[in-house]
Amino acid sequence: IDISGGLKEALNNGISKQVTKLTATDGFYRNEAVKILLPDELKKVDSSLRKIGLGSLADEGIKALNRAAEDAVKEATPIFVDAVVNMSFYDAKTILMGGENSATLYLQNSTSTALYGKFNPVIKNSFAKVGADKVWANIINKYNLIPFVQKVNPDLTDYVTNQAMAGVFKMIAVEEKNIRTNLNARTSTLLQQVFAMQDKK
């Protein structure tokens, strides 16, 4: 039995069934499991803006980060599919018999560095496309004008790249768990054969 092929099919199902949900409007923003919140160094920016009556601008900033992620994941889905296709499982049986998200973790550990390099420019492009760069330039400028604050200049592209990738892996893991625990989710003969081995452990 092609265990490696079965694991790849499970991961691909995660991309086609779960990751595509992230690409819809509000796919990140309204999904509490993956919603991108502000990094620590921007929490003070957020609270300072709210204190001076700019709460709606602060809200717009969070929404803009999530919009950029939604747009980027749409563009980058082929990158994740490619990563799965090119994966080599060194010990597919160990992964099959592992925890509920073992294959997803293996994908994450073996591809994250390469994926980051490909995904980061897509995020950068999406920032401009959805206007998040202008929103955040405005926010940072307004904040840096407040007297006595320590000026900030965060790398939001890096932050959103990492957060969006974490969201993608989280959603792939949802489908992996589904295939491991729900017989009806095994929609091909290969999935049925491979994951029947796991059921027996």
Side-chain angles (χ1 to χ4, degrees):
I1 294 173
D2 180 9
I3 298 176
S4 177
L7 293 175
K8 286 184 180 186
E9 190 175 330
L11 293 171
N12 268 321
N13 280 10
I15 295 168
S16 61
K17 291 182 181 172
Q18 302 295 339
V19 174
T20 48
K21 293 176 184 174
L22 298 177
T23 65
T25 301
D26 288 337
F28 271 86
Y29 189 66
R30 299 248 176 246
N31 181 340
E32 289 307 318
V34 295
K35 182 178 180 179
I36 298 174
L37 303 171
L38 292 180
D40 287 343
E41 75 265 30
L42 288 183
K43 285 182 182 151
K44 58 181 183 276
V45 174
D46 185 81
S47 58
S48 302
L49 290 177
R50 291 182 195 283
K51 276 183 199 144
I52 59 170
L54 292 175
S56 63
L57 182 60
D59 290 336
E60 193 186 346
I62 293 173
K63 191 175 269 191
L65 296 184
N66 284 276
R67 285 286 176 273
E70 288 153 14
D71 182 69
V73 170
K74 194 181 298 170
E75 299 294 321
T77 298
I79 295 172
F80 290 99
V81 172
D82 219 31
V84 172
V85 168
N86 292 314
M87 264 175 93
S88 54
F89 286 99
Y90 293 108
D91 193 345
K93 189 157 191 195
T94 303
I95 292 162
L96 176 66
M97 299 304 182
E100 62 186 24
N101 64 340
S102 293
T104 305
L105 275 177
Y106 188 80
L107 173 68
Q108 190 167 356
N109 292 336
S110 56
T111 64
S112 279
T113 309
L115 283 175
Y116 180 95
K118 290 179 179 172
F119 196 24
N120 187 274
V122 180
I123 289 278
K124 193 172 190 140
N125 187 42
S126 292
F127 254 80
K129 197 165 147 193
V130 304
D133 52 349
K134 290 189 176 67
V135 170
W136 274 98
N138 187 17
I139 287 173
I140 299 299
N141 288 340
K142 285 220 172 19
Y143 174 77
N144 285 342
L145 288 172
I146 300 171
F148 310 117
V149 298
Q150 193 178 349
K151 290 184 166 39
V152 292
N153 183 25
D155 184 347
L156 283 172
T157 307
D158 170 70
Y159 175 71
V160 174
T161 302
N162 283 313
Q163 293 295 304
M165 283 177 63
V168 165
F169 290 126
K170 197 171 263 191
M171 296 309 287
I172 294 172
V174 165
E175 187 61 22
E176 180 184 351
K177 182 182 178 183
N178 188 27
I179 288 169
R180 285 182 180 276
T181 56
N182 176 5
L183 295 176
N184 293 330
R186 299 172 191 174
T187 48
S188 74
T189 308
L190 183 58
L191 285 178
Q192 287 158 12
Q193 289 174 337
V194 167
F195 285 93
M197 294 168 70
Q198 169 226 248
D199 298 340
K200 294 190 184 92
K201 68 176 180 181

